[in-house]
């Protein structure tokens, strides 16, 4: 029974694959050590199948956003060595950091390995073993690779440069630049530097986070409001400080000058004269559904809202159905 459980353990460690949450392709490769190997990615054990069999390598597959690969190796004497090569270009060489002293968190991102020495290329003849790594990487260890250091911890930081996510959908801002018919509207979309996010020492993303454009927008058919080859104007819905100018069957919003409002009778912007001498009410110049009471020729108090579904008709001086109020 014990034999069976040991076999299951060895097989489970022989090839371990954990899906990367980043969406990046997994990093794959081969690793071995003389003699007992424990292979880690960001502190997670992924393979430990080379016990006493350094001439063969173990296949490894780790998440594409891994920041640190690390190997603990136990040597049984004579000479020690670690050898691996990964699909992202990482391989055992003198850029690795190695130590014969165990420290908490040694295999995790963020661990300070500045006091560790660079790996030593072990000058010992292992021949062409393992075949899967022949010519692809160097055997490394501490300077005590000839039996002085029997347990060694080596690590390599993977510099992860930032990558852009997919663009978001387009979002509109501001009004459709047409009172009716097909107009143009401003739009924007964004992306984030999270695919992957830059790792320690990695470069950020190049380019803009935002993109802008103008797109077609619809604001209702113009029909007879904008006949072809005819210059025509009409009030901008809900705002007397603007008006609509017809141009080739499309009505474009225009702004009146400061302190003026649109007058449909004269087809021009005029200065606001407020109450007439005999007027009891006057229109709110910014909201066609509101009006003011007039006292001695001047508007007084707060704006009064017409009942729901009605608008103030300046011609009659009363609230009327919206369809009868040209300014609205």
């Amino acid at each position: 029974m014990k034999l069976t459980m040991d076999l299951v353990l060895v097989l489970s460690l022989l090839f371990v694959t954990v899906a990367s949450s980043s969406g990046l392709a997994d990093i794959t490769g081969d690793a071995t050590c003389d003699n007992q190997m424990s292979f880690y990615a960001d502190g997670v054990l992924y393979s430990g199948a080379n016990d006493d069999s350094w001439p063969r390598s173990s296949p490894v597959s780790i998440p594409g956003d891994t920041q640190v690969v690390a190997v603990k190796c136990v040597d049984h004497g004579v000479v020690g060595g670690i050898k691996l090569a990964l699909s992202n270009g990482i391989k055992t060489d003198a850029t690795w950091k190695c130590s014969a002293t165990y420290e908490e968190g040694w295999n995790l991102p963020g661990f300070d390995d500045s006091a560790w020495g660079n790996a030593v290329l072990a000058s010992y003849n292992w021949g062409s073993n393992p075949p899967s790594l022949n010519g692809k990487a160097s055997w490394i260890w501490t300077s005590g690779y000839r039996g002085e250091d029997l347990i060694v911890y080596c690590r390599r930081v993977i510099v992860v440069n930032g990558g852009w996510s997919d663009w978001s959908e387009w979002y509109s801002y501001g009004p459709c630049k047409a009172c009716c018919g097909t107009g143009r509207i401003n739009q924007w979309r964004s992306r984030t530097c999270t695919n992957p996010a830059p790792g320690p020492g990695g470069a950020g993303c190049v380019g803009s986070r935002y993109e802008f454009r103008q797109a077609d927008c619809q604001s209702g058919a113009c029909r007879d409001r904008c006949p072809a080859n005819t210059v025509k104007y009409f009030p901008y819905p809900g705002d007397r400080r603007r008006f609509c100018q017809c141009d080739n069957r499309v009505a474009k919003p225009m702004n009146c000058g400061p302190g003026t409002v649109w007058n449909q009778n004269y087809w021009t912007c005029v200065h606001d004269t407020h109450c007439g001498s005999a007027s009891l009410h006057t229109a709110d110049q910014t909201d066609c559904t509101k009006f003011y009471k007039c006292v001695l020729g001047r508007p007084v108090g707060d704006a009064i809202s017409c009942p729901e579904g009605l608008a103030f008709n300046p011609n009659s001086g009363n609230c009327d159905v919206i369809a009868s109020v040209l300014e609205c």
Side-chain angles (χ1 to χ4, degrees):
M1 183 66 176
K2 181 179 185 302
L3 218 71
T4 303
M5 292 302 295
D6 287 346
L7 180 60
V8 170
L9 177 61
V10 170
L11 290 175
S12 66
L13 290 172
L14 182 60
F15 184 53
V16 182
T17 302
V18 175
S20 172
S21 60
S22 69
L24 300 176
D26 284 353
I27 301 169
T28 59
D30 294 279
T32 189
C33 95
D34 184 358
N35 296 100
Q36 294 178 340
M37 179 184 72
S38 298
F39 178 89
Y40 299 89
D42 292 344
V44 178
L45 177 65
Y46 279 83
S47 184
N50 270 61
D51 292 359
D52 297 313
S53 186
W54 62 264
R56 67 178 179 88
S57 63
S58 288
V60 292
S61 181
I62 59 178
D65 57 352
T66 295
Q67 298 182 38
V68 172
V69 290
V71 176
K72 172 188 175 182
C73 188
V74 179
D75 177 31
H76 291 172
V78 183
V79 67
I82 298 169
K83 192 175 189 179
L84 66 84
L86 302 177
S87 58
N88 65 346
I90 295 295
K91 60 182 180 180
T92 44
D93 55 23
T95 62
W96 284 61
K97 291 296 190 79
C98 293
S99 173
T101 303
Y102 171 82
E103 295 183 56
E104 189 70 31
W106 70 277
N107 53 8
L108 294 173
F111 175 79
D112 183 6
D113 60 12
S114 59
W116 287 23
N118 284 85
V120 173
L121 304 185
S123 56
Y124 183 82
N125 183 17
W126 276 275
S128 60
N129 291 314
S132 62
L133 290 170
N134 188 31
K136 296 181 180 179
S138 301
W139 288 95
I140 63 170
W141 203 257
T142 62
S143 58
Y145 68 90
R146 292 186 177 272
E148 296 91 343
D149 294 335
L150 297 180
I151 302 178
V152 163
Y153 309 89
C154 292
R155 53 182 272 128
R156 174 68 153 80
V157 174
I158 300 176
V159 176
V160 178
N161 295 324
W164 288 114
S165 67
D166 292 334
W167 286 103
S168 69
E169 61 181 294
W170 286 100
Y171 297 96
S172 299
Y173 65 97
C176 180
K177 296 182 179 179
C179 298
C180 63
T182 301
R184 302 287 285 172
I185 193 167
N186 294 319
Q187 292 187 326
W188 65 275
R189 65 178 182 175
S190 64
R191 55 183 178 174
T192 57
C193 191
T194 56
N195 189 34
C205 295
V206 178
S208 176
R209 179 181 175 184
Y210 298 99
E211 196 168 69
F212 301 89
R213 74 175 185 183
Q214 281 197 330
D216 288 344
C217 57
Q218 298 291 330
S219 54
C222 290
R223 298 187 177 90
D224 60 345
R225 303 184 78 182
C226 276
N229 303 316
T230 302
V231 176
K232 190 175 179 181
Y233 303 91
F234 57 90
Y236 185 88
D239 189 349
R240 289 192 173 91
R241 293 169 297 183
R242 309 185 79 189
F243 63 96
C244 300
Q245 175 181 328
C246 289
D247 181 12
N248 194 27
R249 295 187 182 276
V250 174
K252 298 181 179 179
M254 309 292 287
N255 295 321
C256 287
T260 64
V261 295
W262 178 251
N263 187 307
Q264 183 64 21
N265 295 325
Y266 296 102
W267 275 15
T268 189
C269 296
V270 299
H271 288 281
D272 183 10
T273 55
H274 300 299
C275 296
S277 58
S279 298
L280 297 177
H281 305 106
T282 187
D284 184 328
Q285 302 299 328
T286 62
D287 188 337
C288 63
T289 66
K290 296 180 179 181
F291 62 93
Y292 290 90
K293 288 184 177 181
C294 292
V295 176
L296 299 178
R298 297 185 63 83
V300 297
D302 296 328
I304 301 170
S305 296
C306 288
E308 186 176 356
L310 303 181
F312 184 77
N313 191 330
N315 295 322
S316 66
N318 296 299
C319 292
D320 202 345
V321 293
I322 290 179
S324 300
V325 181
L326 184 62
E327 292 83 356
C328 202

